Amino acid sequence: MTKDIQKLSIAYIRTGLLVTVALALACLMLMQVRMINLLTPVIVSVVFSLVVCVAIALIWRRVAQRSADSLPTFFTAVSGFRMLLALAVMFVYYLVDNQNSMLRFFVVFIAFYFAMLAHHSIFFARINNR
């Protein structure tokens, strides 16, 4: 059972990485076509997505191995933590950057955030339905 959890944790990180890279490439392609500067929002969003994805996978693996009864609490806590962390990142970006690029950052960041939510929901729904 521990090997399965280990493999699933690695699979979660791998698919999260693939989703993040695909979305980043789409944003960079849009940047080239529309001639708008999205580099900073894409970098911040990619770092946020990868850090949160790896953290969720590692914490999930630990919770699943040690106390599987706590998984519903884990999923609830992850949702709240992810949203608070996203709000903190957007607030810090608002403080650091100028007002003109805030809308672009918000749109790019929300696209990554929703992709992360979809990845998380689909992945763990498949695991729980086994």
Side-chain angles (χ1 to χ4, degrees), residues 77-98:
V78 162
S79 297
F81 174 73
R82 185 187 314 120
M83 187 170 70
L84 288 175
L85 191 59
L87 288 173
V89 168
M90 287 190 290
F91 182 68
V92 168
Y93 191 88
Y94 173 76
L95 293 176
V96 171
D97 207 27
N98 61 10

Side-chain angles (χ1 to χ4, degrees), residues 59-116:
I59 295 169
W60 174 80
R61 179 174 59 198
R62 187 173 176 102
V63 170
Q65 288 174 342
R66 296 198 178 186
S67 62
D69 297 340
S70 301
L71 284 175
T73 305
F74 164 76
F75 292 128
T76 304
V78 162
S79 297
F81 174 73
R82 185 187 314 120
M83 187 170 70
L84 288 175
L85 191 59
L87 288 173
V89 168
M90 287 190 290
F91 182 68
V92 168
Y93 191 88
Y94 173 76
L95 293 176
V96 171
D97 207 27
N98 61 10
Q99 300 296 326
N100 297 335
S101 67
M102 191 61 200
L103 181 61
R104 283 183 279 187
F105 172 75
F106 181 73
V107 170
V108 170
F109 190 77
I110 290 301
F112 277 86
Y113 184 80
F114 284 147
M116 234 174 35

Side-chain angles (χ1 to χ4, degrees), residues 15-29 42 46 112 115:
T15 54
L17 178 65
L18 290 174
V19 168
T20 303
V21 167
L23 197 53
L25 289 175
C27 286
L28 293 176
M29 203 158 60
V42 169
V46 165
F112 277 86

Side-chain angles (χ1 to χ4, degrees), residues 9-10 12-17 20 46-62 74 78 81-82 116 119-120 124:
S9 175
I10 292 170
Y12 182 81
I13 293 171
R14 188 180 316 119
T15 54
L17 178 65
T20 303
V46 165
V47 169
F48 174 81
S49 295
L50 293 179
V51 167
V52 170
C53 179
V54 170
I56 288 172
L58 295 177
I59 295 169
W60 174 80
R61 179 174 59 198
R62 187 173 176 102
F74 164 76
V78 162
F81 174 73
R82 185 187 314 120
M116 234 174 35
H119 167 252
H120 179 86
F124 286 115

